[in-house]
Amino acid sequence: MRKTTLLLIVLLFIVNDLHADSNLKVLSPSGELTVEIKFENKRIFYKSSYKDEKIVNYSGMGFVLSNSDSLCFFDLLKAERVTYDDNWKPVWGQYSAIRNNYNELLLYLKDINQNRLINICFRAYDDGFAYKYSFPENNPEITIKSEESYFSFPENNNCWWIWADYNTLEKLYFNTPMKEASHVASPFTMQTPKGTFISIHEAAIDDYSSMTLKQDNNDSLTFKVNLVPWADSTVVKTSAPFNTPWRVVFVSPSAGGLIESSLLLNLNEPSELSDVSWIKPIKYIGIWWEMHLGISTWAMNSGRHGATTENAKRYIDFAASNGIEGLVIEGWNKGWENWGTKDAFDFVTPYQDFNIKEVVEYARSKNVEIIGHHETGGDILAYEKKLDSAFALYKSLGIKYVKSGYAGPVNPSTENHHGQYMIRHFNKVMRTAAKYGIMLDVHEPVIPSGWSRTYPNLMTFEGVRGMEWNAWSSGNPPSHTCTLPFTRGLAGPMDYTPGIFDISEQRFEERRVKWNWLDTGRTSVHSTICNQIALMVVLYSPLQMAADLPDNYMNHPAFSFISQIPSSWDETKVLDAKIGEYVVIARRKGDTWFVAGITNEKSRTLPMKFDFLKRNKRYTLNKCVDSEDAHYENNPTGYIISTEIINSESDIKIKMAEGGGFIMILN
Ligand code: NOJ
Ligand code: CA
């Protein structure tokens, strides 16, 4: 990575008196967040407070290995402190520069049973804290039965969560007191009674398993790390030396602070790719929604094939003349008639009615990137065999983006989607893709943990109940997208695939054929059109899809807002937010600000302040807002576009309809 070090401070101290209490405490740079460690009967515990509020009570740490050796009783050998302050430039993201500033306490421990060495590193940032374990000694085989890391909360916090599931993240959220959240997926977001926001997640998973959080049987305010198991019910099989992922606790006085945080990226390693000049965030459309609506099919044998040469050229023409840089084409390759069976796809043979070379050349002549597609159906054994040839084909054609998908149970069938087997697989795919100069959009992924800093070609992920559910199920309620930025969104970019204009999905009703058993016949998107445009700013993704059909965008006055939205930002500020209710975000690219807001089922009028703008400058404000009578069910397509002149002292009110939203462009 082009690591432009504007300021780098690293200070290292050895702690001399290991037994003085103050020496087992680490403060964030501002001093507001504290992590304290204690030893009791050889066990190690940590706790944390934020501005005089206890946020995590003393919580245990350690492991149980597969031979039932406990790694929970330790002697403290040495302690070191590090102070670090640096700035780095991500290749894409919410910011063009990120400060990484923390204080670290590194404990060197020896377990008292087997004399094994283990280190625990704690880092305190202003926006949270984290810890990870390292096994420094050579050991060819370590099998972990259980990670004994706990998070014990002093209060019955108000929580936003989805059920833990070892195979999918495509779920709707609950908002309940902590006591009702018995087994949850991560990120796990909550608010304390005093108002502090916390979210638990993990960073930099390498060769490990991903984490869920399980309530303790005897204490509903205590959660234990519960790793997704292998078939033999062990959770991690590895060799040492190795590091566990970071256990991360975001902490913020405001809900918006969670979104603004770069904690996860800061806890990941810098880029391993020396040349990143080929990595470019883009906006894209797709031969995609028409299949989900049942207008066309992925397979060719239906007579309604979507990925034909002719159709692809039509989409390319639309993209080229409307400021859209990319096109994903699903159903281009043979095998869809066998989707769900083993070895269904070879990933290199196009259907007869899709001339891949002609399509790519046509796209190139119009300056549009083709995004290739690999649906694996979860058949990892087959995909790994064909990975090189699949990427090599795309590289030879000049295709630099691939969307992949894992819709189906994992083959080998003994393994879970989110276990270590799949983490290894995703690592392999991301490295192989980088070797072929390919950027990735991964659907049905393992929950991201910030790998994109180390492999910036790993652009975006689904791992969310996205737009597709509005095409063939009861759909996603408006509160869903008001919850996502504070939950799933904290793990990294989301390919939610927003931007549907034909909200009622009626326009091509007569051409739709039911293909998905979850389709009860009356599907629609549950938001207004302004909400759909706003999502493209609110839900960050460096590959951002405008998901609707070109026919629905063509000549639509509101589409010019989508055309102008960038896929990477210089600056991000959350102006106002309440989890699950509404969120207003301002993002800057160059001198232009994009401000977007969405609301849940309730209409609301928000006062808008513009004190983030440059002083003494007049800005032209173009906005697209819900019409007075707009409503996500009764009148979802009512919008008003208007222009006015404002400055940093202006004060206006914005009304969002039920399930509504707005977008403003200021320059
Ligand atoms: C599920 C993905 O989320 C969706 O985007 C894709 O179209 C289908 N699988 C088929 O690959
Ligand atoms: Ca999906």
Side-chain angles (χ1 to χ4, degrees):
M1 175 165 310
R2 293 157 288 132
K3 190 174 168 222
T4 56
T5 304
L6 307 175
L7 161 83
L8 169 63
I9 302 175
V10 185
L11 298 172
L12 176 74
F13 310 90
I14 310 286
V15 178
N16 290 320
D17 182 358
L18 295 179
H19 301 287
D21 284 352
S22 60
N23 283 337
L24 293 183
K25 188 175 183 178
V26 58
L27 269 63
S28 67
S30 70
E32 289 186 325
L33 193 145
T34 314
V35 183
E36 264 176 83
I37 290 95
K38 76 165 180 189
F39 285 85
E40 210 172 85
N41 302 327
K42 299 288 178 188
R43 283 188 166 261
I44 177 168
F45 299 87
Y46 72 95
K47 71 173 182 185
S48 176
S49 51
Y50 177 64
K51 292 183 184 168
D52 299 331
E53 181 188 3
K54 282 187 193 157
I55 52 171
V56 181
N57 280 342
Y58 273 125
S59 304
M61 309 180 80
F63 296 90
V64 177
L65 301 184
S66 68
N67 52 6
S68 294
D69 273 1
S70 127
L71 255 183
C72 296
F73 300 91
F74 303 104
D75 279 331
L76 174 60
L77 306 178
K78 188 170 82 167
E80 275 171 12
R81 289 181 178 282
V82 172
T83 289
Y84 189 92
D85 196 357
D86 190 17
N87 284 281
W88 61 281
K89 284 190 180 294
V91 182
W92 46 260
Q94 296 201 111
Y95 304 95
S96 53
I98 291 175
R99 183 172 183 192
N100 187 8
N101 184 202
Y102 59 81
N103 292 321
E104 177 179 296
L105 178 63
L106 177 55
L107 303 182
Y108 294 83
L109 310 172
K110 186 163 82 180
D111 103 277
I112 60 167
N113 294 321
Q114 310 278 334
N115 288 333
R116 276 199 195 84
L117 298 181
I118 188 165
N119 305 333
I120 307 182
C121 179
F122 293 89
R123 280 188 190 168
Y125 294 77
D126 287 337
D127 51 356
F129 72 94
Y131 60 88
K132 75 170 175 196
Y133 307 83
S134 312
F135 289 63
E137 295 171 306
N138 282 330
N139 191 334
E141 203 179 308
I142 293 193
T143 306
I144 299 174
K145 202 160 141 191
S146 160
E147 182 181 319
E148 298 290 304
S149 303
Y150 286 83
F151 299 91
S152 186
F153 299 97
E155 302 282 350
N156 186 15
N157 293 335
N158 181 20
C159 297
W160 290 267
W161 55 280
I162 53 173
W163 286 112
D165 185 319
Y166 297 159
N167 290 289
T168 180
L169 296 157
E170 299 188 23
K171 290 173 187 285
L172 294 177
Y173 282 80
F174 294 96
N175 174 208
T176 72
M178 180 171 277
K179 289 188 173 176
E180 292 169 37
S182 54
H183 188 188
V184 302
S186 150
F188 179 33
T189 300
M190 59 193 79
Q191 186 181 19
T192 69
K194 285 196 174 157
T196 302
F197 291 87
I198 299 172
S199 188
I200 314 289
H201 190 43
E202 56 188 333
I205 311 180
D206 186 11
D207 187 13
Y208 210 76
S209 165
S210 66
M211 163 181 98
T212 66
L213 291 159
K214 211 171 195 171
Q215 225 169 48
D216 192 277
N217 288 340
N218 303 315
D219 175 4
S220 54
L221 304 187
T222 293
F223 288 77
K224 179 182 170 302
V225 165
N226 174 81
L227 298 172
V228 178
W230 285 88
D232 65 3
S233 80
T234 63
V235 293
V236 178
K237 298 172 194 293
T238 190
S239 58
F242 80 97
N243 294 324
T244 69
W246 291 95
R247 302 289 163 230
V248 185
V249 183
F250 292 79
V251 181
S252 169
S254 66
L258 296 175
I259 299 175
E260 289 170 343
S261 169
S262 297
L263 183 57
L264 217 63
L265 293 174
N266 278 333
L267 286 161
N268 275 268
E269 296 300 318
S271 176
E272 285 194 8
L273 308 179
S274 45
D275 175 18
V276 291
S277 59
W278 53 278
I279 298 176
K280 295 215 163 56
I282 57 171
K283 230 167 24 225
Y284 72 99
I285 54 171
I287 302 188
W288 179 78
W289 188 236
E290 58 179 82
M291 279 87 97
H292 283 275
L293 288 178
I295 293 172
S296 68
T297 60
W298 285 272
M300 196 182 90
N301 58 5
S302 65
R304 297 181 298 119
H305 189 209
T308 64
T309 306
E310 192 194 349
N311 201 23
K313 287 186 174 176
R314 211 169 57 83
Y315 274 76
I316 292 166
D317 287 341
F318 175 80
S321 37
N322 288 280
I324 301 289
E325 300 123 308
L327 168 67
V328 66
I329 305 175
E330 295 198 4
W332 67 276
N333 57 325
K334 284 190 178 164
W336 285 88
E337 41 295 300
N338 303 320
W339 187 14
T341 64
K342 285 187 187 157
D343 267 316
F345 304 99
D346 69 5
F347 306 101
V348 289
T349 314
Y351 280 120
Q352 292 90 318
D353 58 354
F354 184 72
N355 186 330
I356 192 166
K357 275 202 176 126
E358 192 180 328
V359 168
V360 172
E361 270 157 31
Y362 189 72
R364 190 168 302 126
S365 75
K366 302 251 169 168
N367 215 8
V368 172
E369 297 284 352
I370 294 296
I371 302 175
H373 187 230
H374 291 164
E375 174 55 65
T376 69
D379 190 349
I380 308 307
L381 295 178
Y383 189 44
E384 290 202 352
K385 266 189 252 148
K386 297 164 189 167
L387 203 54
D388 274 288
S389 54
F391 283 143
L393 170 75
Y394 279 147
K395 187 179 165 68
S396 71
L397 289 163
I399 291 178
K400 300 190 291 260
Y401 298 85
V402 172
K403 171 178 173 181
S404 59
Y406 295 83
V410 172
N411 175 29
S413 61
T414 44
E415 300 310 332
N416 290 301
H417 256 90
H418 304 160
Q420 190 182 3
Y421 177 82
M422 287 299 279
I423 300 269
R424 285 182 180 163
H425 170 72
F426 286 119
N427 266 311
K428 182 173 185 166
V429 174
M430 122 192 142
R431 291 190 164 92
T432 311
K435 196 172 86 194
Y436 286 95
I438 281 175
M439 292 162 266
L440 289 172
D441 168 3
V442 184
H443 277 229
E444 296 83 31
V446 73
I447 188 79
S449 64
W451 281 339
S452 297
R453 179 173 178 196
T454 317
Y455 279 86
N457 64 312
L458 194 52
M459 307 284 281
T460 192
F461 312 83
E462 189 199 40
V464 62
R465 183 168 153 132
M467 186 62 73
E468 59 184 0
W469 288 78
N470 288 322
W472 38 251
S473 80
S474 52
N476 303 337
S479 58
H480 184 56
T481 44
C482 296
T483 308
L484 291 178
F486 310 93
T487 50
R488 160 63 184 85
L490 301 181
M494 262 181 296
D495 193 31
Y496 184 82
T497 63
I500 301 299
F501 276 20
D502 180 21
I503 305 282
S504 66
E505 302 172 6
Q506 306 258 299
R507 185 155 174 216
F508 299 104
E509 183 80 353
E510 70 291 347
R511 286 166 51 195
R512 293 179 67 180
V513 176
K514 187 169 156 178
W515 67 277
N516 190 312
W517 63 273
L518 287 167
D519 188 347
T520 51
R522 286 291 310 139
T523 59
S524 77
V525 179
H526 306 287
S527 80
T528 67
I529 196 168
C530 291
N531 177 295
Q532 286 294 305
I533 302 171
L535 287 178
M536 298 192 59
V537 174
V538 170
L539 303 179
Y540 179 62
S541 180
L543 300 180
Q544 185 63 287
M545 187 176 205
D548 210 343
L549 313 174
D551 286 327
N552 293 331
Y553 289 145
M554 211 91 74
N555 303 322
H556 197 299
F559 191 76
S560 76
F561 285 87
I562 289 188
S563 300
Q564 295 175 67
I565 297 172
S567 333
S568 190
W569 303 98
D570 292 328
E571 196 179 342
T572 292
K573 285 174 190 288
V574 179
L575 301 184
D576 200 357
K578 252 188 155 181
I579 304 181
E581 297 185 25
Y582 68 93
V583 49
V584 181
I585 301 191
R587 301 197 197 260
R588 181 177 62 78
K589 182 79 185 168
D591 289 332
T592 306
W593 282 94
F594 292 73
V595 184
I598 55 171
T599 177
N600 63 359
E601 292 70 1
K602 283 202 188 125
S603 150
R604 64 190 82 233
T605 302
L606 296 177
M608 289 280 315
K609 290 223 179 305
F610 295 94
D611 46 10
F612 54 91
L613 296 176
K614 279 188 187 147
R615 293 188 167 274
N616 306 322
K617 181 176 169 207
R618 281 156 55 89
Y619 284 81
T620 305
L621 182 164
N622 275 311
K623 65 179 190 301
C624 184
V625 301
D626 293 323
S627 63
E628 201 43 50
D629 56 351
H631 184 288
Y632 74 105
E633 280 172 331
N634 310 331
N635 180 21
T637 51
Y639 68 92
I640 300 168
I641 293 176
S642 63
T643 303
E644 61 200 276
I645 302 294
I646 61 144
N647 60 36
S648 62
E649 281 161 25
S650 299
D651 228 339
I652 64 173
K653 286 195 167 55
I654 287 284
K655 182 174 173 227
M656 293 189 273
E658 291 84 349
F662 71 88
I663 179 162
M664 297 174 170
I665 304 180
L666 299 114
N667 50 24

